[in-house]
Structures are given as structure tokens and as C-alpha cells.
Amino acid sequence: MIVLKSPQEIERMRSAGQIVAEILDILRSEVRAGVTTLFLDRLAELEARKRKAVAAFKGYGGFPYALCCSLNEQVVHGMPSKRELVEGDIVSLDFGVVYNGYYADAAITVPVSKVTAQAERLVKVTEESLHCAIEAAVPGNRLSDISHAVQSYVERHGFSVVRDFVGHGIGKKLHESPQVPNFGEPGRGVRLKPGMVLAIEPMINERSYQVKVLDDGWTAVTCDGGLSAHFEHTVAITEYGPEILSKL
């Protein structure tokens, strides 16, 4: 069941979203060769505590870290480690908080120094596909209009859309209904209404969309070793159109 949020609830989620946006902005500025993803994880949790928020992922389903750090061929749910970033890497940083009882969730993919033209293009197209999806998140549209907006844009640029992981509703829980796939035909699924809040998150692969989960039980990687990128925003559907809650 989809629970529509009141203006007061959306305001609380807006506050949570601003915290996520601020922390991801700080993390982006720290991404450089020589930095470890474990450092980024600890920094994210520290910054959340400074803002009296709780890192939403830590302990969720047993996940042991505050931040998901997915490098290169890693798609989502990568675990922070002592491995230092090197020039040419791309790193996806997925972070969420719970603040005053409400969740927000967002992700960015950041190039480390100079990357290949293909990696740069993948990151750019993935971010642009998120904005295409957000533009489709208007009252009266169907849920799959969001999904189709991602898939059509991405495939037009020669990349592929991950099927095994999807976006989701968000609010008093990190994951609420409905699921928000990044692929599918338009005009299907629930009709979008003001008060819905969705975490929209394209996960886009350089080559095949097929992925597998490593033995750690969390880290998803591309089956063919190609690169993957991930962007996400928490988006409220309002009578005036979509509002990105996780944007500075």
C-alpha cells in the first residue's frame, strides 16, 4: 500500500534530504587519488552525527557500514575498504539518513581525477537519465513512465539498464512501496499522485545489464567486468510537479 505524505511529512523529509545532499557534497569534494573508501564511510557517519541524523544503511539488513561505495564494475552495495582510490576510478557513493523519523536517500558517481572518455560519458548519461526520470514524475503519469524515461534515454546512448535492482518509495521506512524499476513500457503501474515520495535511482552499465552478487552477500558487480554508474534522488510528487528533496 502506498501512503501519501502530508505537507508536514514532506517538510520533514525535505530536512532529511538536505542533510543527505550536504554530506554527499562533502564526500564529493574528498574524492581523490590516495583516499580510501573507508575514510569516506567514516566521514559520512561523522557528518550525519553532527547534524543529529542517523546513517540509515548501517545495520540495515546487517549491512555493516554507513555508506555504500561501489568502484568501477561494482554496481551497488559496495563495501568501504582500505583500498585507496586511484586515478581513472569511478566511485558510486550511496548514502541515506533518518532524521526526526523520516528517511532520505541519494547517490552520486564521482570520477577520480582524469578518467577515460567512455567512463566520463557513462557517468554523464546516468546522471542525465535520472533527470529524465524526474521530469516524468508528475501527477497523472503512470509509474512506468518514470521507468521508460530512464531506459529509453540510456539505451539511445548505447548503455544498459540494470534489472536486478530498482528504486523505491521512501518515508517513515527506507524502503516503501512501490518499487521503481528503471526499465519498462510507458503507461503502466500506479498513477502518480501528489504526496508520493520516491527514491529514483538509475543504475547503468557500460555493456551488459547482467549483474551478480559477490560472496560477501552485498556487493553487486557487472557480470562482464564493464563499468557501472549510479545516481539517485529522493523526489516528492507535488501538484506543481516533482520536487527533489535531496538537492542542495
Side-chain angles (χ1 to χ4, degrees), residues 19-89:
I19 291 172
V20 171
E22 289 170 8
I23 294 173
L24 283 176
D25 193 51
I26 291 169
L27 296 179
R28 184 196 298 272
S29 71
E30 293 292 337
V31 169
R32 64 179 68 88
V35 168
T36 69
T37 52
L38 194 58
F39 167 79
L40 296 175
D41 171 73
R42 290 171 177 170
L43 178 60
E45 188 168 13
L46 175 64
E47 292 295 334
R49 287 176 181 167
K50 284 182 181 178
R51 292 162 174 79
K52 303 187 187 309
V54 174
F57 301 165
K58 193 167 186 178
Y60 186 84
F63 189 76
Y65 298 99
L67 181 69
C68 293
C69 299
S70 304
L71 281 164
N72 300 323
E73 77 283 358
Q74 296 176 352
V75 180
V76 285
H77 306 154
M79 291 199 178
S81 73
K82 294 181 180 178
R83 190 263 209 202
E84 293 183 354
L85 299 175
V86 298
E87 183 171 345
D89 283 338

Side-chain angles (χ1 to χ4, degrees), residues 75-77 162-167 180-183 201 203 211-213 218 220:
V75 180
V76 285
H77 306 154
V162 171
R163 266 70 165 168
D164 290 19
F165 299 95
V166 298
V180 187
N182 296 301
F183 61 95
E201 49 178 322
M203 292 151 275
V211 303
K212 61 183 178 181
V213 177
W218 286 101

Side-chain angles (χ1 to χ4, degrees), residues 47 86 99 109 149 173 203 206 216 220:
E47 292 295 334
V86 298
Y99 180 71
T109 299
K173 297 180 181 179
M203 292 151 275
E206 179 185 10
D216 63 19

